[in-house]
Amino acid sequence: DGGITQSPKYLFRKEGQNVTLSCEQNLNHDAMYWYRQDPGQGLRLIYYSQIVNDFQKGDIAEGYSVSREKKESFPLTVTSAQKNPTAFYLCASSVGETTHEQFFGPGTRLTVL
Amino acid sequence: GQSLEQPSEVTAVEGAIVQINCTYQTSGFYGLSWYQQHDGGAPTFLSYNALDGLEETGRFSSFLSRSDSYGYLLLQELQMKDSASYFCAVRGPSGGSYIPTFGRGTSLIVHP
């Protein structure tokens, strides 16, 4: 089955630690995205990538980093510089950057203690 | 940049019809999309409008008026399982790319 996987579903970390969230897709999509969702809020774009070895900052990139070494993978690192990292993180992909339909993974709920 | 406005909450009874409105501001318009998200779940794509008018998909329809920068999602024959958050989204130009922007979402509560 084609789709997007994110792991783990729940993640706990101590304040000051970096943590990497996994995102893998087997849809052969070129574009991938990371969003942050806080309670009662919409999805805010952190980073996006249109093609392998290329990515751009979204609206709230500070304190986050990404890599896109393979088409299928787009991991997100939440660094200690992110002031309020506790949130629900969603990864998505689309056929291309102008394609309207995005496919989302199940999300990772990160709690920083 | 882009911004979208939609109501924070809408309530309705089972079997009724409900409309969720969305107004947007964007420097370049490449279509309005709608997504559904159940509590704790992933958003799923519902519909897309690039041109003015109504698009129908089963019980769900979506409307767009580009001149008014306005769209809505219409849900008919409401069912309990339709209780969820609904987000409108647009793609707009940013630094040579076309990045998506989502509204804050409308929580739909369906009562028996």
Side-chain angles (χ1 to χ4, degrees), chain A:
Chain A
D1 289 335
I4 301 180
T5 57
Q6 291 185 243
S7 61
K9 179 72 172 175
Y10 298 94
L11 190 55
F12 297 87
R13 279 294 180 269
K14 291 183 179 179
E15 195 173 340
Q17 289 181 333
N18 291 356
V19 59
T20 298
L21 280 58
S22 165
C23 177
E24 304 279 331
Q25 56 101 356
N26 60 4
L27 300 167
N28 200 33
H29 286 172
D30 283 322
M32 297 187 75
Y33 314 82
W34 273 106
Y35 294 92
R36 169 182 174 137
Q37 187 174 33
D38 295 285
Q41 301 291 313
L43 284 68
R44 291 186 289 168
L45 185 64
I46 305 173
Y47 268 98
Y48 63 101
S49 168
Q50 302 169 38
I51 199 166
V52 175
N53 292 322
D54 184 59
F55 49 83
Q56 288 81 39
K57 294 181 179 180
D59 299 319
I60 55 166
E62 186 175 349
Y64 300 97
S65 65
V66 293
S67 63
R68 185 88 187 274
E69 297 175 1
K70 298 187 299 182
K71 187 174 186 177
E72 313 81 56
S73 180
F74 191 40
L76 173 76
T77 296
V78 184
T79 75
S80 56
Q82 169 51 232
K83 299 302 181 190
N84 186 19
T86 294
F88 188 45
Y89 290 89
L90 287 158
C91 179
S93 71
S94 63
V95 171
E97 63 158 335
T98 58
T99 310
H100 54 271
E101 182 175 2
Q102 294 182 61
F103 294 81
F104 284 83
T108 293
R109 191 168 298 280
L110 173 65
T111 302
V112 176
L113 306 171

Side-chain angles (χ1 to χ4, degrees), chain B residues 13-69:
Chain B
V13 296
E14 208 171 4
I17 299 174
V18 72
Q19 179 175 311
I20 299 174
N21 300 319
C22 174
T23 57
Y24 60 86
Q25 290 184 320
T26 177
S27 53
F29 181 74
Y30 297 93
L32 182 70
S33 300
W34 288 92
Y35 288 80
Q36 178 192 60
Q37 184 183 31
H38 285 99
D39 252 0
T44 56
F45 173 80
L46 290 175
S47 68
Y48 169 72
N49 296 70
L51 302 175
D52 292 352
L54 193 67
E55 295 281 342
E56 297 181 64
T57 310
R59 294 188 297 114
F60 294 2
S61 303
S62 56
F63 172 83
L64 175 66
S65 169
R66 287 174 296 170
S67 61
D68 295 321
S69 297

